[in-house]
Amino acid sequence: MKDTEQSIIEAAILIFNEDLSAPLEKVAEKAQITRRTLHRYFKDRNELMLKCKTEIRKACHKAMQKAYDSTEDPVKRLEYMFYAGVECGTKDTFLHKLHTLHDHDHRAHDKECAEYDDTFSVWKSHLQYLQKEGLISSMMTVEWMHQLFQGIVGASVSSRNNPKNDLEVVKKLGWFSFSRGIGL
Amino acid sequence: MKDTEQSIIEAAILIFNEDLSAPLEKVAEKAQITRRTLHRYFKDRNELMLKCKTEIRKACHKAMQKAYDSTEDPVKRLEYMFYAGVECGTKDTFLHKLHTLHDHDHRAHDKECAEYDDTFSVWKSHLQYLQKEGLISSMMTVEWMHQLFQGIVGASVSSRNNPKNDLEVVKKLGWFSFSRGIGL
DNA sequence: GTAATATGTCTCAAATGTGGGACATATTAT
DNA sequence: ATAATATGTCCCACATTTGAGACATATTAC
């Protein structure tokens, strides 16, 4: 019964990803509880948002790290990390969105931003490594490849909203487009 | 002095794209006017939102059509239509977002959705044509290529938030990734 | 079955967002 | 310079959102 808190967070991520200032009522609806119950778990919107941020950072970091550790082969490693992004779904897209908002100024000494950077530092370092090895195009910056990654993950997640699109198929399509898109 | 209305719309598109339920105060700030002035031009949030939707549909439709008409060469045509998307910037990403929201059910008989479909029907038809001619991969659906298009346009628009990234460079990078991503 | 815990219902006060009236000031056109 | 128009300031009524107390009901653990 303690998973109510978690289900609220999951619901909030889905709602806030589409509408940052959505009323908490909508989050409660999505979580299939009352707003009163939501307030028993979270003092206010801010506290809920903080928990969401922690959750998405944790989940994405864990998934990316796991993918990285799952193989030694540089190209497979890249592929699995891409899949990790897709499997994180809305959590990944929301995380990226929060750190590219126009008013959010990203500074590394901030704790949240540091954790965000940390989550993708392995990923970015790996992209640089692949460039040095000549496995992927050197004409593009790591920043662009990261934006491309987030963009294609977003496209994959959108595709999955249509239930007729199987996760595995979507992942393969996404990887095809991403890998070729970075000149692999 | 009549361009105040237009500048409010432009500001609203930027704000609402990031935060659908953002207070109108934020729109006014972005447009560098008072909320009181905003209310003189738009009765309420709903009216403003409708104007935004009309604006983005109009702008994107016009840009896509212009790109289509600018050449006869099928591949160049595709390339120019991609650039059109990037040049529409937030307008394109916002338009796409509005029609992929979870609560928005997309039905063709609805006037707004019909116009949306119309805007990208030329684009999608052209993708199908290229597939039939064997110029791009036939392993993927038109829907996926469209999602990919929107995803990479979004990545390009994000990149441009960093002023050191020149529009032309971003366009070229985006096109490189997109064209290869669809197997061209 | 009983106690503990979780959730729902009803209610309400505070905070925030919204729309617009009244009037002053600023800008533009002629 | 003057009139017309646009915008800002101040203010207010209204709607929505928010956070929580009090209590009933439901669920779970033992």
Side-chain angles (χ1 to χ4, degrees):
Chain A
M1 197 178 260
K2 187 58 192 312
D3 48 8
T4 299
E5 181 172 342
Q6 190 60 29
S7 72
I8 294 174
I9 293 174
E10 302 289 335
I13 290 170
L14 292 177
I15 294 294
F16 291 154
N17 182 53
E18 287 196 344
D19 185 357
L20 262 189
S21 299
L24 298 180
E25 187 77 46
K26 286 199 179 179
V27 176
E29 270 177 37
K30 175 74 84 176
Q32 301 186 78
I33 54 159
T34 317
R35 190 168 59 84
R36 186 66 189 85
T37 298
L38 186 152
H39 280 297
R40 287 206 180 89
Y41 286 89
F42 304 96
K43 194 173 77 55
D44 57 18
R45 167 187 228 85
N46 201 49
E47 187 175 307
L48 173 56
M49 187 61 88
L50 285 176
K51 290 292 177 63
C52 288
K53 287 178 181 174
T54 302
E55 167 62 28
I56 59 184
R57 270 186 277 119
K58 207 186 62 183
C60 293
H61 192 288
K62 189 178 171 184
M64 291 297 271
Q65 193 63 51
K66 184 184 169 192
Y68 183 88
D69 294 337
S70 68
T71 179
E72 300 273 307
D73 177 28
V75 175
K76 280 284 171 201
R77 189 170 264 176
L78 189 77
E79 183 176 351
Y80 294 153
M81 290 181 94
F82 176 82
Y83 294 153
V86 176
E87 277 156 16
C88 285
T90 305
K91 290 182 185 177
D92 180 88
T93 60
F94 192 36
L95 180 59
H96 179 246
K97 175 181 186 167
L98 286 176
H99 285 265
T100 50
L101 286 177
H102 188 272
D103 61 347
H104 170 81
D105 64 319
H106 194 88
R107 37 197 174 169
H109 63 274
D110 177 78
K111 194 180 287 181
E112 282 191 40
C113 293
E115 278 197 54
Y116 172 81
D117 289 340
D118 185 45
T119 298
F120 292 108
S121 65
V122 184
W123 163 252
K124 289 183 181 174
S125 299
H126 191 56
L127 287 172
Q128 271 180 315
Y129 168 76
L130 290 171
Q131 270 188 328
K132 270 183 199 152
E133 296 294 311
L135 289 167
I136 59 179
S137 171
S138 283
M139 68 172 268
M140 44 183 73
T141 64
V142 170
E143 279 313 313
W144 166 251
M145 290 188 286
H146 184 55
Q147 290 286 353
L148 185 67
F149 166 69
Q150 296 292 356
I152 297 185
V153 166
S156 303
V157 174
S158 279
S159 290
R160 281 225 68 209
N161 285 344
N162 188 333
K164 79 178 177 197
N165 291 323
D166 178 61
L167 174 61
E168 290 306 313
V169 175
V170 166
K171 277 161 62 179
K172 293 295 177 191
L173 271 175
W175 169 245
F176 174 86
S177 297
F178 178 68
S179 57
R180 288 183 52 93
I182 58 174
L184 192 142
Chain B
M1 197 178 263
K2 187 58 193 312
D3 49 5
T4 298
E5 181 172 342
Q6 190 60 28
S7 72
I8 294 173
I9 293 174
E10 302 289 335
I13 290 170
L14 292 178
I15 294 293
F16 291 154
N17 182 52
E18 288 194 345
D19 185 357
L20 261 188
S21 301
L24 299 180
E25 188 77 47
K26 286 198 179 178
V27 177
E29 270 177 38
K30 177 73 84 176
Q32 300 186 80
I33 54 159
T34 316
R35 190 168 59 86
R36 185 67 190 83
T37 298
L38 187 152
H39 280 299
R40 288 204 180 91
Y41 286 89
F42 304 95
K43 192 174 79 51
D44 58 19
R45 166 186 229 85
N46 201 49
E47 186 175 307
L48 173 56
M49 187 62 87
L50 286 176
K51 290 291 178 62
C52 288
K53 288 178 180 174
T54 301
E55 167 62 28
I56 59 185
R57 269 185 279 120
K58 204 186 64 182
C60 292
H61 192 287
K62 188 177 170 185
M64 291 297 272
Q65 193 64 52
K66 184 185 169 192
Y68 184 88
D69 294 336
S70 67
T71 179
E72 298 274 307
D73 176 29
V75 175
K76 279 284 170 203
R77 190 171 264 176
L78 188 77
E79 183 176 353
Y80 294 154
M81 289 181 93
F82 176 82
Y83 294 154
V86 176
E87 278 157 15
C88 284
T90 305
K91 290 182 185 175
D92 180 87
T93 59
F94 192 35
L95 180 59
H96 179 247
K97 175 181 186 166
L98 286 175
H99 286 264
T100 50
L101 286 178
H102 188 272
D103 60 348
H104 170 81
D105 64 320
H106 194 89
R107 35 196 176 168
H109 63 274
D110 178 78
K111 192 179 287 182
E112 281 191 41
C113 294
E115 279 196 54
Y116 173 82
D117 290 340
D118 185 47
T119 299
F120 293 109
S121 65
V122 183
W123 164 252
K124 288 184 181 175
S125 300
H126 191 56
L127 287 172
Q128 271 180 314
Y129 168 75
L130 292 171
Q131 271 189 329
K132 270 183 199 151
E133 295 295 311
L135 289 167
I136 60 178
S137 170
S138 283
M139 68 173 266
M140 45 184 73
T141 63
V142 170
E143 279 314 313
W144 166 252
M145 290 188 286
H146 184 56
Q147 290 287 352
L148 185 67
F149 166 68
Q150 295 292 355
I152 298 184
V153 166
S156 303
V157 174
S158 279
S159 289
R160 282 225 68 209
N161 286 344
N162 188 333
K164 80 179 177 199
N165 291 323
D166 178 61
L167 174 60
E168 290 307 312
V169 174
V170 166
K171 277 161 61 180
K172 293 294 177 191
L173 272 176
W175 169 246
F176 174 86
S177 297
F178 178 69
S179 57
R180 288 183 51 92
I182 58 175
L184 193 142

